[in-house]
Amino acid sequence: MPQGLRDRIVMSEDGLVFGDIRLAKMGDEGLCIDGEEERILTLLAVAYGDHAPRAPLDVLRRVSQFWQSGDKCLAMICLEQGGFRKLDKDAVYRLSKAAGLLDEGVAARGVVQALGLSPFLTDFSKYDPDQPRVPAGNGRESGRWMEAGGSAADDSKDISVHSYPDPVEGRSAGKPNRVEGIPKDAVAVRRPDGTTIDDPQSPAGKLMAPPHANFQQVYAAGEKIARWPLMQQYDAAEFAIGHFGTYDFQRDKAPNRFFVEYIPAANYAVGVYTAGAGYTLEATYIIAQRYALSHSSNWYDYWSRGRPWIKQGWEDARRGYWKKP
């Protein structure tokens, strides 16, 4: 790997960089994407090949908006969840060479042809520097090219490939055995002040959890990672609240069981954990929904039932219920 190059894309005050290769510099109004589309798309195609992130320019514009609004944590989450995955050393080397060619004045199309990239990976035909753009101050549409009628052009196919979810390591083998009904040893979740939490969909009428569930521990685990580098936070969160994680109360790894009635408690724990880690509720939703899409075959049902409990856990944690005295 060339000296100074990192294997992940990083957002900083200087812009969007891979080590010493800058994909987009930072300007007064955020990332300078307009006018640099060909360069950005070329470098991403070179780096990721068939695994290039889908609609990367839309993602980068959202990242830029979050960064400029002051929510840098959410910007980094959006960047990570947008499909900008870790590169192997060969990909980093290709990226370095391609950036050098572009800096020497070689046209983007020439780089694509020279490296033998699939013509389906990039589509430069739509990027006419003389085409009018949406004026600044128009939210997500700002800076995008306009069609003849004055509406923003669709760049949802900037790179016509799919992104693939990362494999989950440590997941229990085989489909879990589904357990219906409230387990006999289930307990109603009680806040430190003695209050319980209503759950109209539960036969018990209360939020139920396994007897070992301790939400003060969940919150403390989130607090522990709050100052860690973002990539380390993801790894820790996976083991804490991912499938069969320490605080995944709906699954029991040893007997490979899935408890339907503990779905609310597991999602409540997600909210408690991310609140402890300092994430906003919006950032928590992004992480949770992306995880559900990537890891659950019935992600829609999971998400629709889980989201309200994520919010409840996050709000309770922010109110100080689960912070140890």
Side-chain angles (χ1 to χ4, degrees):
M1 184 178 297
Q3 185 176 4
L5 286 180
R6 286 172 287 186
D7 55 7
R8 285 187 182 273
I9 197 167
V10 176
M11 187 80 163
S12 71
E13 299 297 340
D14 294 327
L16 196 66
V17 298
F18 263 123
D20 61 355
I21 296 174
R22 187 164 61 182
L23 297 184
K25 67 179 181 181
M26 185 69 73
D28 293 337
E29 297 183 359
L31 288 175
C32 298
I33 298 173
D34 302 333
E36 296 294 325
E37 290 88 352
E38 285 195 0
R39 183 178 188 276
I40 294 171
L41 292 179
T42 298
L43 292 177
L44 291 176
V46 169
Y48 290 105
D50 290 338
H51 295 279
R54 185 176 182 274
L57 299 185
D58 274 350
V59 174
L60 294 182
R61 287 191 173 99
R62 288 196 296 273
V63 170
S64 179
Q65 289 168 2
F66 287 135
W67 188 274
Q68 285 300 102
S69 70
D71 198 338
K72 297 182 179 180
C73 180
L74 186 53
M76 292 299 294
I77 291 171
C78 184
L79 185 64
E80 174 70 14
Q81 301 298 333
F84 297 91
R85 307 195 314 176
K86 182 177 179 180
L87 299 178
D88 59 32
K89 63 181 181 181
D90 290 335
V92 174
Y93 180 76
R94 291 196 305 270
L95 179 65
S96 176
K97 290 297 183 182
L101 291 173
L102 293 175
D103 292 342
E104 291 172 5
V106 177
R109 293 171 179 81
V111 172
V112 170
Q113 293 173 356
L115 295 177
L117 296 175
S118 168
F120 297 106
L121 287 177
T122 53
D123 178 11
F124 301 136
S125 61
K126 73 182 78 173
Y127 301 117
D128 178 3
D130 296 324
Q131 187 175 352
R133 301 175 187 270
V134 178
N138 286 275
R140 287 182 56 186
E141 304 298 323
S142 299
R144 295 176 64 180
W145 278 282
M146 293 191 296
E147 303 287 5
S151 60
D154 179 14
D155 62 358
S156 63
K157 296 182 180 178
D158 295 329
I159 294 181
S160 302
V161 296
H162 301 284
S163 59
Y164 301 91
D166 292 325
V168 179
E169 298 179 358
R171 185 184 288 184
S172 181
K175 187 176 181 180
N177 299 311
R178 188 180 178 93
V179 179
E180 302 283 354
I182 301 176
K184 293 181 179 181
D185 60 350
V187 296
V189 175
R190 290 187 179 276
R191 303 183 181 103
D193 64 0
T195 57
T196 56
I197 304 168
D198 291 337
D199 180 4
Q201 295 185 352
S202 171
K206 302 292 182 182
L207 175 62
M208 306 299 288
H212 64 273
N214 185 322
F215 292 98
Q216 286 186 330
Q217 290 181 357
V218 176
Y219 185 84
E223 277 191 311
K224 183 178 179 180
I225 70 168
R227 297 184 180 277
W228 291 8
L230 196 59
M231 295 303 105
Q232 293 182 25
Q233 291 187 26
Y234 285 127
D235 292 339
E238 172 76 15
F239 285 104
I241 55 178
H243 287 185
F244 295 100
T246 305
Y247 308 112
D248 180 18
F249 298 132
Q250 63 190 329
R251 294 177 178 86
D252 191 344
K253 186 173 183 178
N256 197 25
R257 291 184 297 184
F258 177 88
F259 297 91
V260 176
E261 291 300 320
Y262 289 159
I263 291 176
N267 284 278
Y268 184 86
V270 170
V272 172
Y273 183 90
T274 56
Y279 291 117
T280 64
L281 184 58
E282 184 178 5
T284 299
Y285 284 157
I286 290 174
I287 296 170
Q289 186 174 30
R290 176 75 179 189
Y291 192 88
L293 279 165
S294 300
H295 299 84
S296 299
S297 58
N298 60 336
W299 71 269
Y300 182 80
D301 291 338
Y302 173 89
W303 177 242
S304 61
R305 186 175 182 187
R307 179 181 172 122
W309 287 107
I310 290 174
K311 181 180 180 182
Q312 182 73 60
W314 188 89
E315 290 179 343
D316 279 0
R318 290 297 293 266
R319 293 187 184 106
Y321 280 121
W322 301 115
K323 187 177 180 65
K324 291 183 179 180

